Amino acid sequence: MRLLKQLVPVAVVAFAGGAIVGAVKESPLLTLLLGVATAVLAVLVYARVVRWSERRAPAEVAARGAARAIARGALIGVALFAAVIVNIALVGGYRIDGPGSPAGAVGLLGFMAAAAVTEELLFRGILFRIVEERTGTWPALVLTGLLFGLSHLLNPHADLWGAIAVAVEAGGMLAAAYAATRTLWVPIGVHFGWNFAAAGIFGTEVSGNGATQGLLHGVTSGPALLTGGEFGPEASPYAVVFGLLLTVVFMWLARRRGNVVPLRRSATATLAQ
């Protein structure tokens, strides 16, 4: 019941906010404002339902240090995607055909803020955190990572490989970021930085959602196996490899800091059946 008490209100904000932001996508300023408003409202609702259902202060979304943690995560996300796109470019799979649309990039700031915040609250703040309490860190990382990847099958140009790639490179990596820091601000920042770099800077598709207008007019070409095809660079093996490497780093930090929850007996019994 605790899972539903938290999941339903945040999901309502996510879907309603997403629909509203999508309806005004032709106006970059409105998209920015409504996207940020959706993100802020989602955090407030999450904090409220956690206080109500768990009788505790939601330290994972504490205001103190939030800006710094988001900025740190965003830098990691941008650097991670830049490493992917540089490697794709080196094999001839990406080129820049001139400047893009600064106005489009402004709108993407709001759109990606709403997406990053609501998805992290749902998948890491609620699903991962509660499943981890019952099963341990590793089972929760695998399960919620798979669910995160499968959720991307609903996107227009999605395919099974793209969903698997997202599950591995993002679902696991973002859960590991939360496990390492025990704050949602870092995974929110990484998620936002990755998505905005993909669409808002390099002008590539994000998770099969179609072409975007970012600061650069980017063109991908060549074998889909290397570039990710219609799904975008997230389906590239480079993204999977770099995402896995960062997952290892975050889990090493989580273990070093004593943040890894051991496998629960109930989970062990279930796995043995």
Side-chain angles (χ1 to χ4, degrees), residues 9-10 13-14 17-18 21 31-49 51 61 63 66 70 109-119 121 185 188:
V10 177
V13 174
V21 170
T31 303
L32 173 62
L33 294 176
L34 292 174
V36 172
T38 297
V40 172
L41 179 60
V43 171
L44 293 176
V45 169
Y46 172 85
R48 179 68 185 86
V49 295
R51 287 192 184 94
V61 289
I70 292 172
L109 281 171
F111 182 86
M112 295 308 179
V117 170
T118 56
E119 289 181 12
L121 292 175
W185 299 126
I188 283 173

Side-chain angles (χ1 to χ4, degrees), residues 10-250:
V10 177
V12 168
V13 174
F15 289 122
I20 294 171
V21 170
V24 299
K25 62 182 180 181
E26 300 302 323
S27 171
L29 182 57
L30 278 178
T31 303
L32 173 62
L33 294 176
L34 292 174
V36 172
T38 297
V40 172
L41 179 60
V43 171
L44 293 176
V45 169
Y46 172 85
R48 179 68 185 86
V49 295
V50 166
R51 287 192 184 94
W52 168 58
S53 61
E54 299 187 11
R55 300 293 189 271
R56 68 174 180 86
E60 63 273 21
V61 289
R64 185 175 182 180
R68 183 178 299 177
I70 292 172
R72 185 165 63 248
L75 287 174
I76 293 172
V78 170
L80 181 62
F81 188 84
V84 171
I85 207 69
V86 165
N87 277 271
I88 293 176
L90 287 174
V91 296
Y94 174 83
R95 72 178 189 274
I96 298 171
D97 272 2
S101 169
V106 168
L108 285 168
L109 281 171
F111 182 86
M112 295 308 179
V117 170
T118 56
E119 289 181 12
E120 289 312 302
L121 292 175
L122 290 168
F123 283 94
R124 262 59 67 177
I126 299 174
L127 289 174
F128 174 79
R129 183 174 55 81
I130 293 177
V131 172
E132 183 188 40
E133 291 176 6
R134 297 296 185 89
T135 66
T137 299
W138 284 107
L141 185 147
V142 172
L143 176 60
T144 59
L146 287 173
L147 289 175
F148 186 66
L150 290 174
S151 71
H152 286 72
L153 283 173
L154 301 174
N155 295 347
H157 298 113
D159 56 24
L160 183 58
W161 164 245
I164 293 172
V166 168
V168 175
E169 77 206 17
M173 182 262 290
L174 292 168
Y178 172 72
T181 61
R182 291 301 162 179
T183 173
L184 287 171
W185 299 126
V186 171
I188 283 173
V190 174
H191 195 153
F192 172 78
W194 169 278
N195 281 358
F196 185 73
I201 298 176
F202 294 102
T204 65
E205 295 192 27
V206 178
S207 307
N209 277 309
T212 57
Q213 291 188 338
L215 293 174
L216 300 173
H217 181 204
V219 177
T220 55
S221 60
L225 180 63
L226 291 176
T227 65
E230 290 188 330
F231 192 83
E234 286 172 313
S236 166
Y238 294 113
V240 175
V241 170
F242 283 117
L244 276 173
L245 288 174
L246 194 53
T247 301
V248 171
V249 172
F250 279 132

